[in-house]
Amino acid sequence: MKVHEYQAKALFREYDIPAPLDVVAHTAAEAEAKAKDMGLPVVIKAQVHAGGRGKAGGVKVVSDAAEVGPTTERILGLTIKDLPVRIVMIAPAVEIKTEVYLSLLVDRGERKAVFIGCADGGVEIEVTAKESPEKILRLEVPGAQLAFLTADSCKEFATKLMGDADLADQTIAVMQKVAKLFVEKDAALIEINPLIVDGDDKVVALDAKMSFDANGLFRHPELEELRDMDSEDADELGAKEKGLSFIRLDGNIGCMVNGAGLAMATMDTIKHFGGDPANFLDVGGSSNPEKVVAAFKLILKDPDVKVMLINIFGGITRCDDIAKGILASLEQIDVPVPIIVRLVGTNEAEGRKLLEGTKLISAETLEGGATKAAELGGAA
Ligand code: GDP
Ligand code: MN
């Protein structure tokens, strides 16, 4: 789960990580009044769950009170990476002497938390990592040490990052607090880009990006309140309400599978045969035909979908129930793409019989189904 910058900064302040104060506004008039109270110059920033807001025109420094309204209006009219801007954050504009990049995240491969640093801040870290990987600093921290991070263990990293003893000390303090926040809130990522040195030589977080491990959220009702439903994928949320796990992907093969493990194996197999899945979809253990209809609707909403692969391993799920769901779906909705079905397990013979004489393409094996799907999806 992601939160907005202003929400992440409120958590920063709770943990004593220096960040400029801020207020939020939903309209130009509200922004004008609040900027006036704050005093100019201010920075007005789009609050959306996406980076690169500056480049998209979503971050503006304004020194003239008359410009606050029109600038806010313009930012509220933006759509950044498909996300409409509904809220702006207003903060006193800060003088920037230096911008660096600092983040803390989980490196699953290493099974450790890792701080990433780069003396060139403010820019997209992915670009630097690709073009000049030697500029990226890493400090791996075993999970158990994160909450009690010692200054000593951060010293080399912070010194390389800031190139100055006093600034390094301030940065170490930030790193220790960031680590504590990370552990205590079950964060998945804390990114400060840029972490700056301001006009008074203070190290300050000018931007803040945080996301949380969804599996830890039940321990944090205070974080659940920060959830911005407007910023989450409406289809993914709708699927959850219907008992489906659905995640949209970039490919063109719509997948309907029972069980998360089989769904992942299905996507891997599709990839192996040169295809590209359009989604992850687990219809779950039960096999009520309504769920199958809902799953069809979700998958076909995506205009990229050129073919569907239904892969069902009947255990508790009964293949004949799935077949009935498929038939009901075909009656209710117009399915403009070919559908490949593989049904095995409980009541597979009954299931297959129900589908006889329809336009569905039957597959005996997952490999066969995935190969056919890749072919119909236009794989090279
Ligand atoms: P992002 O583009 O979504 O990462 O948004 P940021 O909050 O990082 O802002 C982008 C850039 O705007 C920063 O790297 C800064 O250079 C600039 N910026 C943001 N806030 C201020 C500010 O208070 N004063 C000045 N001078 N520049 C700012
Ligand atoms: Mn940024």
Coordinates of all heavy atoms in Angstrom, one line a residue, residues 111 282 345:
R111 N 17.9 -11.2 1.2 CA 17.1 -11.4 2.4 C 17.6 -10.4 3.5 O 17.8 -10.7 4.6 CB 17.3 -12.8 2.9 CG 16.7 -13.8 2.0 CD 16.6 -15.0 2.9 NE 16.3 -16.2 2.1 CZ 16.3 -17.4 2.7 NH1 16.7 -17.5 4.0 NH2 15.9 -18.5 2.1
D282 N -6.8 -15.2 -9.6 CA -7.1 -16.4 -8.9 C -8.5 -16.4 -8.5 O -9.0 -15.5 -7.8 CB -6.1 -16.4 -7.6 CG -6.5 -17.5 -6.6 OD1 -7.3 -18.4 -7.0 OD2 -6.0 -17.4 -5.5
G345 N -8.9 -32.7 -13.0 CA -9.2 -33.0 -11.6 C -10.7 -33.3 -11.4 O -11.3 -33.8 -12.3

